Structure formats: structure tokens, C-alpha cells
Amino acid sequence: MITHTRLEGMIAAVFTPFTKEDEVNLEMIDRYADWIASTTIQGVFVCGTTGEFSSLTIEERQQILARWIEASKHRFKVIAHVGSNCQKDSAQLARHAAACHADAIASIAPSFFKPGTVNDLVNYFKPVCEAAPETPFYYYNMPSITGVDLPVNEFLTEGSKVIPNLVGVKFTHNNLMEMQQCINLENHLFEILNGFDEILIAGISIGAVAGVGSTYNYIPSVYQHVFDAMRKNNMAEARQWQLKSVEMVKLIIRYGGGVRGGKAIMSLIGIDCGNCRLPLPAYTEDELACIRKDWEYLGIRP
């Protein structure tokens, strides 16, 4: 395994800003980066699910990553999601991420033609990681989206034999038994990043020390309180803050989910990321007014 600095705390899964003409709004990333740097967020996860990676061209993904790295000014870490259903595209994105000096790369499993075994998954990722051999690699495990539900602990064991830069997993799943197996594998050798915002408290309780989440973008103080309370072993306080997270997740689900609803919330805090790309529909002015009303009612602030 390569030597690297482990992640801690919040890694925001960032949105991709679009203009009214449905073009990538690179200029908004500068403002977005300043916002991230003003919080206790420790890094960003670029062009993942929240970033609508599957609706972006390869060129757009490269431009977005390069702008985030430039805009970060080394104030926080930048993780490049390079996942694709095309292995060669993923390798190209990984090579570009390394050339841009991204702090790490990550990839979701291919989800159209799916790997049927752990070895299939390892063999898919091997050349992708070889394209950026000095850059830490995280497997992005999200079976609810990909339909790939292979034993992650077995992937780590087998993958580490042939992928030297495999360092951990973005664990976006509610299988806490499997998550705990991964955390404790080979005496905590791998980093297991909590992926579901609404169960962060559970991930920390079994050993996770970092999480990647979309709602971190606009209510980072809530999750910082969860991390702080858990560090002090104050479970009652941690539960109170985690419940606020649950209320926020319920709100964005009401308005189309974490990407669509989340982008609307971002506009309310002054970071206009525009609408989503189709097939996710644009939100209407009436919807935005309702979201604002519900957001104000909850009283949860950044």
C-alpha cells in the first residue's frame, strides 16, 4: 500500500454548477471553493453521484476537476471520482487526475454490464489504478445505485494484492455488519468512509473517522457537532444532531432527492448551482418557494 495521509472529518460530495444554458459553470466553482474553505469541511469529492458524473462528458469532468484543484488553493483535499461504465474512460480520467495532482481518486463499480465476482471487480479497477499509480484509490461502493453487491471486505483483501494504491472504500450502504468487517480488516489497514449522511453516527460508532456526504455542503455545522459529540462519547448530543440530519434528508427526498433537492438548498445559501441535467427535471419557482419555506421551518443552518 502506498504512503498517504488518511482522511478525517467531512468530505463534501460537491454539486456540479450549471448555467441557465445547461453548460458547466466553472466560475461558480471559485465561489463554491471559498465557501468550502470557510467551513470545517476537510475535502471535496468531485464528479460523483451528487456531481451528476453520468450526465457529464469526459472533457467536462476534466475541466471541472482542474478548476476545483485550482480553486482549492490547497485549503482542502480534492478527490476525483473517475468512475464510468467504460474502463478506458475511467483510466483516462485517473491519468488526468494524477497529472492535476488530485489528492486521491475514487471509482464506482460499472453498472450496465456488471462484474459478477470480486475478481471481476478487481480486474476492472486494476488498469484504472495503474493509470495513476501514486494516487490513493478508494472503491466507491453503492449497491443501491449500481446493483453490484459483492463482499467489500473480500474486494479489499483480493484487490490489495494487485492494486498497490488501493487505500479504502467510500461505503455508501447500510450494511453495518459488512462496514465493520471492512474497518477492522487487517488491523484497520483500510480507510472506510461513511457514505450515508443520515447514519453517520452509526458509522463513527463502529470506527469510521471520515464521511463523504452531499448534505455536508449546506449544513456542515450539524455534522461537525456529530463528530465532536461522538469524540466526547456524548451519545445523547450526537443523537440530537443526527436527527437534524435525518430531518434534512427527509426534506430533500420530498423534492426529488439529494441531487435535485440539494441543488435547490445550495441556491438558498447563496451558491447557485443551477438545475440538474435531464432526466432530472428543473425545479419550478413554486417548488423553490416551498423548499425555502420548509428549510426555514426546520431552522437548520450551515
Side-chain angles (χ1 to χ4, degrees), residues 199-272:
I199 58 170
L200 175 62
I201 189 174
I204 297 174
S205 71
I206 59 175
V209 298
V212 180
S214 65
T215 60
Y216 297 175
N217 283 285
Y218 43 85
I219 51 169
S221 64
V222 169
Y223 297 100
Q224 190 59 57
H225 280 299
V226 173
F227 275 107
D228 292 344
M230 290 297 286
R231 195 175 296 115
K232 296 182 295 186
N233 292 318
N234 189 334
M235 287 298 298
E237 182 180 346
R239 290 191 197 104
Q240 289 177 350
W241 286 106
Q242 185 67 79
L243 184 57
K244 292 182 181 295
S245 160
V246 170
E247 291 170 345
M248 177 56 67
V249 171
K250 285 171 60 181
L251 188 155
I252 58 177
I253 288 174
R254 193 180 309 143
Y255 293 99
V259 183
R260 187 173 184 269
K263 275 195 163 183
I265 297 293
M266 290 299 290
S267 72
L268 300 182
I269 68 166
I271 310 293
D272 186 0

Side-chain angles (χ1 to χ4, degrees), residues 9-31:
M10 290 178 285
I11 309 298
V14 291
F15 300 90
T16 294
F18 294 117
T19 66
K20 292 181 180 179
E21 294 72 35
D22 198 34
E23 298 297 328
V24 175
N25 189 345
L26 293 174
E27 291 184 1
M28 183 58 67
I29 292 174
D30 299 340
R31 183 173 180 179

